[in-house]
Amino acid sequence: MGRFFLLFLLISSQSSWAKDNVARVVAPSVTYCDTNSSSLHAVFPAHVKETFICEGKTYNGTCWPGYTGSIQAHCCDVLGWVKVKGECKEPAPPTDECVTNSSSLHAVFPAHIKKTLICTGKTKVYNGTCWSGYSGSVQAHCCDIEGWVALKGSDCKKVPPHPSPP
């Protein structure tokens, strides 16, 4: 009901009354849809004209960075893009636990370890297990917002491939 009422108001505001008390509708200027939809958390194609009645054409939107999913809309009107299907979901809030898999150190660390703001070195030492294809010994004394902080001298190095026999 809200969209139809808004359409009536829009037409009424663009009408002019002649001396014979007959409404004359003034053609509205072309308005293009905003490519960035804050209500749908997505970006849609540029140069799509705003419309009063949605037709069959469908436009694919791209979710904002950090948002996941897919979304389609079939038009936009004075209220914005009209969703057909899909959704752009908000990113999960950051966790206060360290990730167990460290891609920078090529190792797996124990689960359920809390992140810290400052690694002081006066904390417990955690042993990591090198990934398959890596060898060495890696230890970390904490993890912060950027990941695990390895102790000096501990490292998982990539194992070189074995040469093929001639």
Side-chain angles (χ1 to χ4, degrees):
M1 166 109 174
R3 290 186 189 272
F4 294 111
F5 180 70
L6 191 56
L7 174 63
F8 172 75
L9 287 177
L10 186 61
I11 290 174
S12 296
S13 70
Q14 295 175 357
S15 300
S16 64
W17 291 93
K19 290 183 181 177
D20 57 2
N21 288 332
V22 176
R24 306 279 190 257
V25 175
V26 178
S29 61
V30 174
T31 306
Y32 290 96
C33 304
D34 188 2
T35 59
N36 196 9
S37 173
S38 59
S39 63
L40 300 178
H41 311 292
V43 177
F44 287 93
H47 308 297
V48 176
K49 293 177 184 173
E50 206 173 83
T51 183
F52 291 119
I53 299 170
C54 290
E55 297 173 14
K57 189 164 184 172
T58 301
Y59 300 94
N60 292 321
T62 303
C63 293
W64 287 352
Y67 285 72
T68 58
S70 63
I71 192 162
Q72 291 181 331
H74 61 111
C75 75
C76 76
D77 58 19
V78 293
L79 297 176
W81 286 94
V82 179
K83 180 175 79 165
V84 175
K85 66 179 180 178
E87 181 180 13
C88 291
K89 295 179 183 160
E90 289 188 63
T95 178
D96 64 344
E97 288 188 0
C98 303
V99 294
T100 57
N101 200 3
S102 172
S103 59
S104 62
L105 300 177
H106 311 290
V108 177
F109 287 91
H112 308 295
I113 307 300
K114 299 284 184 196
K115 287 181 185 172
T116 184
L117 294 177
I118 301 171
C119 293
T120 63
K122 296 179 182 178
T123 58
K124 183 176 177 180
V125 173
Y126 299 98
N127 293 316
T129 304
C130 293
W131 289 352
S132 176
Y134 289 79
S135 67
S137 168
V138 64
Q139 294 181 321
H141 60 94
C142 72
C143 75
D144 58 18
I145 58 171
E146 301 205 3
W148 286 95
V149 179
L151 295 174
K152 289 186 179 186
S154 67
D155 194 9
C156 289
K157 296 188 187 303
K158 184 148 183 74
V159 177
H162 292 38
S164 303

